[in-house]
Amino acid sequence: MERNQTQGPNIPFLVSLPESGEYFSEIKKIPTGFYVRQVYLNHSSKLELSISQLTVSEAKNWEEIRFEGKLSIDESGKYFRFRPRLCRIFTSKNPGDRWTLTRAYECDHYEFLIWKSGNGEIRLVPGPEGEEGGLKLTSPRSGNPSRIAAIVLKVDSLITSVWGMRLSRVRSGASVYLEKQDGRKIDLKSLQTVETTGEIKTEKQGVVPGDFILYTNPSGDAKPLAL
């Protein structure tokens, strides 16, 4: 979206500011892999928002794009405006590897609008790839700022790979459970977390991509991201 604020999407009349939390898009398949987006929103103590997109493919291995910038409340008081000041691209060969910064560029000519579009649901317009219709993102049913959320990406016989922007905030001894789409909760065992990726011991519990993982630190503390 260009700087001209007189142009933009048709915003529904009955919208409101979304709650603080972590929101995820659906996992979308591409010919050689998949991609998924996440929004982290914190306005309980300060206006803080990050957008991240993870793409896993044969050509790019693991690639993460992070949008960082300023969040403001629209003059209507019903939705947020987010203008990134910096966009960075990171890559790694495998989950569990540390990210390598490959490119950084200014992207303050973009602007995203964010509003609450349902219970535990937000709308981001436009999408990170310029999708005019925007994106719907949802949060775990039992998510809250004291829990660190992630989404299941891949499942094999031994290890479940997960991704989430605040996984670097997970501490030793954290409890972890799976939240199914129907709200069922299943206790699991965390193997490791490295930056924004993590590994969970695969259990015979019907874990599938798109399920949510929630971590709770022993202290109950989960610090927000620092922009």
Side-chain angles (χ1 to χ4, degrees):
M1 184 182 298
E2 299 297 333
R3 285 185 179 276
N4 186 355
Q5 296 184 359
T6 63
Q7 298 178 351
N10 182 19
I11 300 173
F13 179 74
L14 295 175
V15 300
S16 60
L17 294 177
E19 293 86 2
S20 294
E22 296 175 86
Y23 298 84
F24 297 85
S25 72
E26 293 181 349
I27 298 174
K28 296 290 187 180
K29 292 184 178 180
I30 55 178
T32 59
F34 61 88
Y35 65 89
V36 62
R37 284 77 172 260
Q38 182 185 3
V39 166
Y40 169 69
L41 173 62
N42 172 34
H43 59 86
S44 57
S45 57
K46 64 178 181 179
L47 294 180
E48 178 183 29
L49 184 139
S50 296
I51 302 172
S52 189
Q53 174 175 307
L54 173 71
T55 302
V56 179
S57 66
E58 294 177 1
K60 297 182 179 180
N61 296 321
W62 290 62
E63 180 182 88
E64 188 174 292
I65 304 175
R66 303 174 190 173
F67 299 80
E68 304 167 2
K70 294 183 178 179
L71 182 68
S72 61
I73 301 176
D74 183 76
E75 60 183 12
S76 69
K78 294 184 177 182
Y79 57 91
F80 289 111
R81 291 183 178 270
F82 176 65
R83 178 162 292 155
R85 67 171 184 268
L86 180 67
C87 294
R88 297 185 294 168
I89 300 177
F90 297 81
T91 62
S92 68
K93 290 186 177 181
N94 300 290
D97 294 343
R98 292 197 174 276
W99 293 104
T100 299
L101 176 64
T102 59
R103 184 185 173 199
Y105 58 96
E106 292 183 357
C107 49
D108 60 355
H109 58 289
Y110 291 110
E111 184 176 64
F112 300 95
L113 307 183
I114 304 101
W115 64 82
K116 182 178 180 179
S117 56
N119 187 25
E121 179 183 300
I122 63 171
R123 178 70 62 172
L124 174 72
V125 179
E129 297 292 338
E131 299 94 333
E132 293 184 1
L135 297 176
K136 181 182 77 172
L137 302 101
T138 58
S139 64
R141 296 189 185 189
S142 54
N144 64 55
S146 66
R147 295 191 180 106
I148 299 166
I151 190 170
V152 173
L153 301 177
K154 292 182 176 182
V155 182
D156 63 26
S157 59
L158 298 175
I159 295 173
T160 295
S161 297
V162 304
W163 174 72
M165 276 194 270
R166 287 202 300 163
L167 286 181
S168 63
R169 301 295 191 264
V170 175
R171 298 294 175 251
S172 177
S175 62
V176 55
Y177 64 83
L178 170 79
E179 183 180 278
K180 300 290 291 181
Q181 297 298 322
D182 61 6
R184 288 185 296 121
K185 300 178 180 65
I186 302 167
D187 291 331
L188 297 175
K189 181 179 180 181
S190 177
L191 298 177
Q192 70 168 350
T193 56
V194 178
E195 296 183 348
T196 60
T197 62
E199 294 179 346
I200 301 293
K201 183 178 179 181
T202 296
E203 305 284 349
K204 296 179 180 179
Q205 303 284 2
V207 182
V208 297
D211 286 341
F212 292 125
I213 299 291
L214 290 145
Y215 298 80
T216 303
N217 285 328
S219 64
D221 177 45
K223 294 181 180 180
L225 293 174
L227 293 180

